[in-house]
Amino acid sequence: MRDRRKPPAASKFRLARRARGGTLFAVPRVKIGVVGAGQVGATTAQRLAERELGDVVLADILEGVPQGKALDLAESAPVQRYDVRLSGTNDYRPFEGASVVILTAGLPRKPGMSRDDLLKKNAEIVTGVVEKIHPLAPDAFWIVVSNPLDVMTFLVRHRTRLPRSRVVGMAGVLDSARFRSFLAQAAGVSVRDVQAMVLGGHGDDMVPLVRYATIAGIPVSEWLAADKIEQMVARTRGGGAEIVSLLKTGSAFYAPSAAAVEMAEAVVRDQKRVLPCCAFLEGEYGLRDVCVGVPVVLGAKGMERVVDLNLSDAERKALHASASHVREGISALALA
Ligand code: APR
């Protein structure tokens, strides 16, 4: 019989020989912290658990809400057949050692309210959260979802002073998913065959890249008339507002949570996905010291690189205009 005190020669696990009855193997577990147990946060926690990306800690200021939602999700596990630990908290101690933090805390947009109206209030919330979590999870990869997205991503990086590879914002995956779903509907084809990317800030001046949009590898212009594509571009730009006006008491959460979880999965599973994310730019696209949506490679090291695409003059102009709008928001925060 094998001596059970010795690890198998090829074991990748470190033997943690603690007291008798203690842990034999230190099996690494991924911990993902989700801040905000509202619509986006709770749905994100659900999707993370269903994909078994790691143990999930859900936090909110509302007493009982994160605990209740985490318990409800844990009780779904036997039926949904996921096997991860879920917990809820009103303080951040359980975030200690988290590998990924997904930040959804904040106020959602109400009808008639622009994303920028949210700026000051959400900046206060985000700053408070970052100051508490960063010391407990100094190596975490941050995915920012709180709006106004690009400014909040800049703020998280500014407050944590983390390398830019560790802080990205979720918007491009969501905006691109909207664009792809509208193109698929218009062309009458499966969403699976539609590839498209939206760059720029997560606002009305986002930049859907029509030139790079394809259906089964064939340029979208071969499938749809120019005016139809323009309608889809306009619908994408107004995609968030369209949902707000329908829901009346909140903003989108299914697609935003799906997008955030796709980004988390790329990092946790080291997938090297090429996804449009809000990134801090250091000269790419002729932009510097601003966070804006561009294609990046996401893997185990976080944002492993920015993909510097060739843009036409018009696309580049539109990206710069969008970045200027983000800069206005950053200036309004008057960061020291
Ligand atoms: N710490 C933790 N949680 C907080 C804090 C805080 N300081 N302040 C607010 N929250 C929580 C709220 O209690 C609420 O449960 O954030 C949660 C936000 O949830 P919702 O109001 O349901 O908003 P949601 O639709 O999830 O949107 C969250 O994502 O898409 C963006 O614009 C959206 O910024 C908004 C964020």
Side-chain angles (χ1 to χ4, degrees):
M1 208 165 91
R2 183 167 66 79
D3 182 350
R4 303 184 92 196
R5 287 169 305 175
K6 286 189 184 159
S11 170
K12 60 183 175 176
F13 300 126
R14 185 167 54 86
L15 180 64
R17 287 246 219 106
R18 297 201 192 127
R20 184 186 288 267
T23 309
L24 186 59
F25 294 105
V27 180
R29 295 187 72 97
V30 172
K31 189 194 285 182
I32 305 177
V34 179
V35 190
Q39 299 277 57
V40 178
T43 318
T44 296
Q46 179 185 353
R47 295 189 191 284
L48 291 169
E50 287 176 354
R51 289 205 200 181
E52 293 190 314
L53 288 185
D55 296 333
V56 181
V57 184
L58 188 57
D60 202 289
I61 39 166
L62 299 177
E63 274 182 34
V65 170
Q67 292 89 342
K69 290 191 179 180
L71 181 60
D72 197 8
L73 283 169
E75 290 167 358
S76 319
V79 182
Q80 286 297 113
R81 295 172 187 274
Y82 50 78
D83 187 5
V84 293
R85 296 174 192 159
L86 288 135
S87 59
T89 178
N90 299 118
D91 71 57
Y92 292 103
R93 268 167 294 169
F95 276 55
E96 189 164 10
S99 306
V100 178
V101 175
I102 303 179
L103 181 50
T104 80
L107 302 178
R109 269 201 302 167
K110 306 245 163 59
M113 195 179 183
S114 79
R115 288 188 181 92
D116 288 354
D117 293 337
L118 290 177
L119 188 127
K120 291 245 162 67
K121 187 66 206 150
N122 281 355
E124 267 171 43
I125 292 173
V126 164
T127 300
V129 166
V130 165
E131 280 168 0
K132 289 184 197 115
I133 295 176
H134 181 51
L136 293 165
D139 298 323
F141 175 72
W142 288 73
I143 300 174
V144 182
V145 182
S146 309
N147 272 317
L149 188 275
D150 309 273
V151 181
M152 293 303 125
T153 305
F154 186 96
L155 180 63
V156 171
R157 180 163 184 277
H158 181 86
R159 293 283 182 224
T160 58
R161 304 276 173 198
L162 278 166
R164 70 171 182 165
S165 58
R166 296 253 155 214
V167 182
V168 297
M170 186 296 296
V173 177
L174 166 64
D175 296 326
S176 304
R178 286 180 173 148
F179 191 31
R180 288 163 65 194
S181 72
F182 298 150
L183 288 173
Q185 280 169 27
V189 301
S190 164
V191 286
R192 282 196 207 173
D193 296 319
V194 181
Q195 284 288 345
M197 244 192 285
V198 178
L199 308 190
H202 185 49
D204 304 335
D205 53 7
M206 64 180 75
V207 187
L209 285 187
V210 173
R211 209 164 47 90
Y212 285 116
T214 61
I215 298 179
I218 301 159
V220 74
S221 54
E222 301 284 322
W223 294 82
L224 294 167
D227 61 337
K228 192 73 191 168
I229 296 173
E230 265 321 300
Q231 280 173 25
M232 300 305 114
V233 165
R235 193 169 176 199
T236 302
R237 290 207 174 102
E242 185 178 356
I243 304 265
V244 169
S245 68
L246 288 166
L247 294 182
K248 298 191 176 61
T249 55
S251 51
F253 56 99
Y254 290 119
S257 57
V261 171
E262 182 166 59
M263 291 164 64
E265 181 173 31
V267 172
V268 170
R269 302 214 159 117
D270 191 21
Q271 291 173 327
K272 319 286 186 206
R273 295 286 312 274
V274 182
L275 298 172
C277 298
C278 175
F280 183 84
L281 297 183
E282 293 173 343
E284 297 89 354
Y285 296 91
L287 294 166
R288 187 175 286 283
D289 291 331
V290 67
C291 285
V292 77
V294 292
V296 307
V297 176
L298 289 188
K301 294 189 185 122
M303 185 185 78
E304 300 193 349
R305 71 194 158 94
V306 171
V307 180
D308 208 347
L309 283 179
N310 274 325
L311 296 185
S312 67
D313 287 347
E315 289 159 352
R316 198 177 164 88
K317 212 171 141 203
L319 182 64
H320 280 235
S322 184
S324 301
H325 192 211
V326 175
R327 278 191 210 284
E328 284 168 23
I330 293 169
S331 306
L333 292 179
L335 296 170

